[in-house]
Amino acid sequence: QVQLMESGGGLVQPGESLRLSCAASGSIVRINAMGWYRQAPGKERELVAVITSASSTNYADSVKGRFTISRDNAKKTVTLQMNSLKPEDTAVYYCNAAITTLIDWRESNYWGQGTQVTVSS
């Protein structure tokens, strides 16, 4: 069984920063791409940033230049540094990872439980 555990959400004012972290645990053979998605009330879940196992990154246009995604393969963690936060960044942020497990040696998509980020003055 695999778990993705997120931490770091909270309430901040516009212009401030937050750091989200996600740790994978369980019977993991390999982790391929890891990423962060978000879902605001009344909207569909959208990709925020993704990082491959080789550390290539891709960002949503709305966060380019403000957010930075990174990973530590040894610790099985992915981090999202969010700077210059705006009210429109308010959403539940979800960690996502493509993981091959010892259970069936097949790659599957896993999600964290989500962490709330609220940007408000």
Side-chain angles (χ1 to χ4, degrees), residues 10-16 85-90 117-121:
L11 171 64
V12 296
Q13 294 189 347
E16 294 186 339
L85 282 161
K86 304 175 180 180
E88 50 264 42
D89 294 318
T90 296
V117 171
T118 302
V119 185
S120 175
S121 55

Side-chain angles (χ1 to χ4, degrees), residues 24-46:
S25 62
S27 304
I28 296 170
V29 174
R30 181 174 179 268
I31 302 177
N32 198 350
M34 303 183 82
W36 290 92
Y37 289 71
R38 67 186 181 188
Q39 187 166 19
K43 294 188 177 181
E44 293 188 354
R45 191 174 296 188
E46 63 174 1

Side-chain angles (χ1 to χ4, degrees), residues 67-120:
F67 291 10
T68 302
I69 189 171
S70 61
R71 65 189 285 170
D72 185 325
N73 291 328
K75 295 182 179 179
K76 300 184 181 65
T77 59
V78 60
T79 299
L80 186 68
Q81 177 66 42
M82 305 184 293
N83 298 328
S84 303
L85 282 161
K86 304 175 180 180
E88 50 264 42
D89 294 318
T90 296
V92 178
Y93 284 69
Y94 296 91
C95 175
N96 174 268
I99 298 174
T100 301
T101 70
L102 286 168
I103 299 172
D104 56 13
W105 289 81
R106 294 165 60 179
E107 184 175 285
S108 299
N109 216 23
Y110 291 87
W111 293 91
Q113 80 285 357
T115 185
Q116 177 69 46
V117 171
T118 302
V119 185
S120 175

